[in-house]
Amino acid sequence: MKKNVLILGSGAREHALALKILQSDLLGQLFVMPGNPGTMSVALNIPGDIMDIHAVVNTVREFDIDLVVCGPEAPLDAGIMDALSKMEGKYKPILIGPTQAGAQLESSKAFAKTFMQKHGIPTATYKIFQKNQLDEAMEFCSTLVPPIVLKASGLAAGKGVIICEDHMEAEREIIAMLSGKFGSASETLVIEEFMNGIEFSVFVLTNGNQYVLLPEAKDYKRIGEGDTGLNTGGMGAISPVPFASPSLMKSICTEIIEPSIKGLQEDGIPYQGFLFFGLMVVDQQAKVIEYNCRLGDPETEAILPRIQSDLLALFLAMNAHKLDSFALEIDPRTAATVVLASGGYPGHFPKGKTIKFPDQMAAESYIFHAGTRTEDYILKSNGGRVLAITSLHESPTEALNLSLHLADQVQFEGKYFRRDIGLDVYPDKRRSDELNI
């Protein structure tokens, strides 16, 4: 029986999910709430606020939705899956995303760090402080060797982590954060040691017992080339990651993924959906920086094009507790994702710039809509990150070549993108100005 699917969200991640699910022979109708101009071309967009739980529940009922995929983190933290899990009869959908209890792994860094310590999951040394513990926070800070990492415990739109180069900067930021720099998100503060290594991300789909390992990725957060400048929501990603060797991935499974899933079981927290592990490799050992309870963005735009299996079939296998017999097929080619941003991002930036696509593009390339809208049938920019371009190729640098070539062809005023995505880790790396674009 074919399944009606609802995707919650409006970014490039949701556009990538929609394109992948559209390939399934098991799909009935595909809906995205609220969606964007990209999802509009492959699904029915449903207007509405996904933070409005009643509106989402009514949508599931009205359109006979069989399966719901939640893209962003905020609805999970608000308990959207808790409400949907209480629906009954034919209106009880399969859920790809955890309830509020499981979402704490992302929504509360304090919860996540305590969880890791309790279950022996490797992570940085840390302590947690409340807003009335300024003196204690300062004292602990003085014991750490800079750089010093400060994290707002709550959700802060990806901006709640500050790396301080010396104690004076750390003390200023501790005062600012505990005084409300990030609102209620930083009323609880995590202070931890700086881990000097190389970052990447690992993803699984789990039903709380079994799991399937998805393609890994490395994303690039800084606005400037060479990883300089302010943090952003992500300026690009690559998959696979060259240094993610079979032995490293095996140790991640046994020392991080499996203890995390077992820890959820031991703590009585049901979990169903994606689980994202932000990792730092230090001296050939992976440690957890953070958990996310959904797929990352722009990592999704790099990993989903590499999945050759039916994604909807994978979701159904998860629900039927058959993940242990699901053989996930992965394209061995490299996916290189380049994000096109508005000029000025992540600071102040204009919206409403007309976007023009080339008449033709390579079959190995995709354009995912992030911050876009239509006005009088004309495509306009509507966010800091406007589009994500992904290309596949056997050669990592040629995959980047294809994405950069298309990025140059897409036109809108103030367009900005990085040309060095992946060049720090590709075995055949070349300087960005040597790329043949």
Side-chain angles (χ1 to χ4, degrees):
M1 183 177 176
K2 293 185 181 295
K3 303 296 184 182
N4 292 341
V5 176
L6 172 64
I7 301 170
L8 301 178
S10 61
R13 166 182 47 217
E14 289 74 38
H15 189 187
L17 281 163
L19 282 174
K20 194 67 198 173
I21 292 171
L22 189 68
Q23 299 172 2
S24 176
D25 292 333
L26 302 172
L27 178 66
Q29 290 183 284
L30 181 60
F31 304 88
V32 186
M33 181 180 183
N36 61 38
T39 61
M40 188 184 298
S41 65
V42 297
L44 177 63
N45 283 357
I46 300 173
D49 180 2
I50 59 174
M51 295 299 291
D52 183 341
I53 291 176
H54 295 296
V56 175
V57 169
N58 289 337
T59 296
V60 169
R61 186 175 289 114
E62 179 180 354
F63 292 97
D64 292 326
I65 300 299
D66 300 296
L67 185 145
V68 178
V69 186
C70 185
E73 65 275 18
L76 296 172
D77 178 49
I80 185 64
M81 294 312 199
D82 300 73
L84 293 175
S85 68
K86 294 173 184 175
M87 298 183 73
E88 297 179 349
K90 70 172 186 174
Y91 296 119
K92 190 175 182 65
I94 296 168
L95 304 177
I96 309 300
T99 59
Q100 199 171 40
Q104 289 181 96
L105 285 175
E106 178 171 5
S107 64
S108 171
K109 290 182 174 60
F111 176 89
K113 295 293 283 191
T114 303
F115 175 88
M116 286 183 258
Q117 183 181 51
K118 177 180 179 181
H119 297 290
I121 297 160
T123 189
T125 299
Y126 74 97
K127 280 194 176 181
I128 300 166
F129 301 94
Q130 306 301 321
K131 63 181 180 179
N132 61 349
Q133 295 180 299
L134 177 61
D135 291 342
E136 294 92 330
M138 292 295 195
E139 183 178 350
F140 177 67
C141 175
S142 69
T143 68
L144 297 177
V145 177
I148 297 165
V149 181
L150 309 180
K151 295 181 177 180
S153 179
L155 296 177
K159 299 176 182 177
V161 178
I162 298 176
I163 299 174
C164 302
E165 297 301 325
D166 55 50
H167 284 106
M168 286 185 63
E169 181 188 3
E171 289 169 3
R172 287 196 305 269
E173 290 295 343
I174 288 170
I175 293 170
M177 292 176 80
L178 288 177
S179 298
K181 179 174 183 175
F182 298 105
S184 61
S186 60
E187 288 182 355
T188 299
L189 177 66
V190 176
I191 304 178
E192 64 181 38
E193 67 171 343
F194 178 80
M195 294 189 290
N196 189 17
I198 187 164
E199 263 184 80
F200 79 116
S201 304
V202 170
F203 309 86
V204 301
L205 181 73
T206 182
N207 50 27
N209 183 25
Q210 307 157 324
Y211 72 93
V212 165
L213 188 66
L214 305 176
E216 76 283 358
K218 185 179 190 300
D219 77 324
Y220 293 79
K221 285 284 194 289
R222 302 276 186 171
I223 188 66
E225 297 193 1
D227 272 344
T228 58
L230 296 174
N231 268 333
T232 72
M235 293 301 297
I238 59 161
S239 178
V241 178
F243 58 81
S245 65
S247 60
L248 177 62
M249 293 305 297
K250 182 178 179 180
S251 69
I252 289 168
C253 289
T254 57
E255 297 172 16
I256 294 174
I257 296 173
E258 289 161 14
S260 296
I261 294 173
K262 185 178 179 182
L264 288 166
Q265 293 173 353
E266 290 175 353
D267 291 352
I269 300 174
Y271 197 101
Q272 183 162 289
F274 296 110
L275 187 53
F276 165 143
F277 302 83
L279 305 176
M280 183 74 76
V281 181
V282 182
D283 297 329
Q284 299 183 330
Q285 182 194 12
K287 296 185 177 183
V288 178
I289 303 170
E290 64 178 358
Y291 294 107
N292 286 174
C293 295
R294 35 76 194 186
L295 290 178
D297 188 347
E299 297 98 326
T300 303
E301 295 93 282
I303 69 172
L304 287 189
R306 294 190 59 227
I307 294 178
Q308 296 175 319
S309 299
D310 184 321
L311 187 61
L312 184 50
L314 178 62
F315 291 157
L316 297 178
M318 177 210 70
N319 188 64
H321 289 267
K322 294 181 179 179
L323 283 180
D324 53 359
S325 61
F326 194 97
L328 192 70
E329 295 182 13
I330 304 297
D331 191 327
R333 294 179 296 172
T334 292
T337 300
V338 174
V339 170
L340 275 59
S342 297
Y345 174 77
H348 177 74
F349 56 86
K351 297 181 181 180
K353 301 300 181 182
T354 298
I355 303 169
K356 294 183 179 179
F357 290 161
D359 293 332
Q360 293 182 323
M361 53 186 277
E364 301 87 354
S365 296
Y366 303 83
I367 299 177
F368 301 109
H369 290 241
T372 65
R373 62 181 172 86
T374 54
E375 182 180 313
D376 296 328
Y377 304 101
I378 297 173
L379 188 65
K380 304 277 188 176
S381 65
N382 196 44
R385 294 188 297 163
V386 180
L387 300 164
I389 293 174
T390 297
S391 301
L392 294 162
H393 199 278
E394 289 82 0
S395 161
T397 43
E398 289 307 317
L400 180 58
N401 247 347
L402 287 167
S403 289
L404 292 177
H405 181 64
L406 184 52
D408 277 327
Q409 290 182 306
V410 172
Q411 297 299 317
F412 62 89
E413 184 183 340
K415 174 187 68 178
Y416 171 79
F417 58 93
R418 284 179 56 171
R419 295 180 176 270
D420 65 338
I421 302 302
L423 293 182
D424 57 333
V425 293
Y426 288 155
D428 56 340
K429 65 181 178 180
R430 290 178 281 166
R431 288 180 17 246
S432 59
D433 58 2
E434 293 174 339
L435 288 172
N436 179 27
I437 61 173

